Amino acid sequence: MKLDAKIPSGSISEKWSKHKFNLKLVNPANKRKFEIIVVGSGLAGASAAATLAELGYKVKCFCFQDSPRRAHSIAAQGGINAAKNYPNDGDSVYRLFYDTIKGGDYRAREANVHRLAEVSVNIIDQCVAQGVPFAREYGGHLDNRSFGGAQVSRTFYSRGMTGQQLLLGAYSALSRQIGLGNVQMFSRTEMLDVVLVEGQTRGIITRNLVTGAIERHAAHAVCLATGGYGNVFYLSTNARGSNVTATWRAHKKGALFGNPCFTQIHPTCIPVSGDHQSKLTLMSESLRNDGRVWVPKTKGDNRRPEDIPEAERDYYLERIYPSFGNLVPRDVASRKAKEMCDAGRGVGASGLAVFLDFGEAINRLGEKAVKQKYGNLFDMYQQITGENPYKTPMRIYPAVHYTMGGLWVDYNLMTTIPGLYALGEANFSDHGANRLGASALMQGLADGYFVIPYTIGDYLASSNLPIVKTDHPAFVEAENQVKDRIHKLLSIKGKLTVNEIHRQLGKIMWDYCGMARSAEGLTHARKLIQDLKQDFWTNVNVPGSDADLNQALEHAGRLADFLELGELMVVDALERNESCGGHFRTEYQTPENEALRDDDNYCYVAAWEYQGDNQPEVLHKEALVFENVKLTQRSYK
């Protein structure tokens, strides 16, 4: 298989504008003849469904939540990047492009990243027009704050609930189209397979999560906007329902999976408190604007933070990275927190935490001003921990947050299956080996509002797409395969719960494919996952039936996919003999313990091709060519 990214020719600043002009268009009257399925109703899915319907296409949108408003995008807190340069501090489209490439440790595709930076400025205008209540300065202008990996303020925000407000904006646009009859909304519905007819994507198979009914849906194209796969680690900041099933089932039908081992560890999470937990809670990266990260200088210092004088505190990020300080990228901040804790200088009962201290900011700005900027985040922290962060520093520790890997897509966001697109976190395209903070919301809305409406039209206008109905043999076959899988899960009747097996998988992934990885550990993890997968298919117990609401059955199906994905993540990490961004192989690091890339041998996208159950996947490589940014060792000092 030859990977063709379909990157347009010409200068980086003109590629997207020229490409849009060269794309084939669908006549407005003909748009009504095409049906498009959008799976997922978060920022990428809701914006895509609303925009495509506004253009005149017939759209079906699916989500497993009870409402599109409950998509996990709602949990995003800190903000959304855009190269508006409102603070007049030196930002530009090119600087956002450069920061994103550098932040991803030079493992992202230049053309896609520059397009993202270009359309970022349009996103803010779109959202303001929808009524998104961005924070404003005293004079009424939109306010900005800083995020990791940048020395300019380009992040627009709505206190600590930016994702919620942006999703409500996209949801309002989607609701308008639902009301007009242009979008048919299916909630409490999970996609379980992609249907291909003569090599083209022509629909999906779903399960109604309330009634258990298996249903067929035909279309001319399908867009997957189903988020990331961080819950392969069991404990993550993702919603409990977030899963990999839609993209993994597409992968098993022929869509290549790009860079699966590129996982982002967020440095600012509330630490694990015990085995009772089923998920972790994120404290926004925006807190690092005014919060200072530190640990005691002395190993094993268990005094209360307010009893430790300034002279005995190590503000290690400010010490090691004087240029960026507490706003280094997430992968860097996470590794340094781990180093401090591994050296015995961690805080709290477990020793697996560092302090995030707002004492200086409160003294400088006043408690009222801090509360105006971060009040809901402080309230969340106090409700969870029982500690008042206005009086004592927060305790934070890294946790799994985002996945840069996903389905491989070309410049048009199409996977290797014609007619199947992947948007937002579901694709691999824009963040390289480490996503900069506040760029997830940017990518989701860019893909949905400003990219897919152009590129999908080119496919529909240039492809031969005969009428296909849901009684086609391909639909019958796909439905039977889905039913067989469900019945197999229900028939095992073993002794282990789905949750027990998932927790075991998560521990394996965190211990051996988490913040630090080694060839020895990854090799061991692969064997453990293979054994666990065997145990799952012989000893899992899924109670209930498939004829009604059955959350254990939902979880079992998703875990089966996580087990296969987990093995591929380990294989991908083992194949990449370098360190880059969030992929940190302990064998490959600088004398200062920073990630050490190998550009001569690993400057590529790893795209994996499924070969069948229990068969090794085939690696394909898309070479990354850097014509506008010089490959250098990343430095934030």
Side-chain angles (χ1 to χ4, degrees), residues 116-328:
L116 179 64
E118 287 179 63
V119 302
S120 70
V121 298
N122 304 117
I123 296 171
I124 303 304
D125 296 338
Q126 171 91 1
C127 294
V128 169
Q130 289 174 335
V132 174
F134 287 120
R136 293 179 181 268
E137 296 176 331
Y138 177 77
H141 297 293
L142 297 185
D143 196 14
N144 290 111
R145 58 189 179 198
S146 301
F147 259 63
Q151 291 179 303
V152 297
S153 295
R154 63 163 67 100
T155 304
F156 296 77
Y157 64 98
S158 297
R159 294 188 74 184
M161 56 184 77
T162 312
Q164 180 191 58
Q165 298 304 318
L166 291 172
L167 184 61
L168 289 174
Y171 175 67
S172 67
L174 176 61
S175 297
R176 177 173 179 270
Q177 294 303 321
I178 294 172
L180 292 172
N182 299 328
V183 174
Q184 190 177 1
M185 190 71 218
F186 296 82
S187 59
R188 290 291 191 189
T189 304
E190 184 169 26
M191 179 196 132
L192 294 180
D193 211 348
V194 177
V195 180
L196 307 185
V197 176
E198 296 182 357
Q200 295 174 310
T201 306
R202 297 309 305 267
I204 61 174
I205 304 296
T206 64
R207 180 175 183 267
N208 184 309
L209 297 181
V210 177
T211 68
I214 304 299
E215 298 165 346
R216 311 170 190 174
H217 298 274
H220 296 92
V222 173
C223 299
L224 301 183
T226 51
Y229 48 88
N231 278 345
V232 68
F233 290 87
Y234 186 75
L235 286 179
S236 80
T237 65
N238 291 183
R240 284 291 291 155
S242 298
N243 62 85
V244 76
T245 289
T247 51
W248 191 253
R249 302 292 169 85
H251 174 56
K252 296 179 79 167
K253 282 295 182 71
L256 300 194
F257 211 102
N259 297 333
C261 80
F262 283 174
T263 306
Q264 178 165 89
I265 312 294
H266 198 297
T268 318
C269 298
I270 297 179
V272 175
S273 59
D275 290 340
H276 63 281
Q277 283 185 272
S278 60
K279 76 175 300 296
L280 298 174
T281 302
L282 173 70
M283 289 287 99
S284 169
E285 182 171 311
S286 64
L287 295 173
R288 289 198 276 148
N289 272 272
D290 291 304
R292 301 178 70 193
V293 178
W294 65 275
V295 293
K297 288 184 176 180
T298 305
K299 180 178 178 179
D301 189 339
N302 295 320
R303 287 177 293 173
R304 296 184 308 166
E306 51 267 36
D307 293 336
I308 302 176
E310 281 289 314
E312 297 177 33
R313 300 180 179 189
D314 180 9
Y315 295 91
Y316 59 90
L317 291 178
E318 299 173 30
R319 170 174 58 82
I320 300 171
Y321 307 102
S323 293
F324 283 76
N326 296 297
L327 288 173
V328 292

Side-chain angles (χ1 to χ4, degrees), residues 16-17 62 87 123 204 212 230 305 312 323 332 383 433 469 493 570 574 581 593 605 621:
W16 177 230
S17 58
F62 297 80
I123 296 171
I204 61 174
E312 297 177 33
S323 293
V332 176
Q383 288 172 7
K469 297 184 178 180
K493 303 299 183 184
V570 167
L574 194 56
N593 305 119
V605 176
K621 301 176 182 179

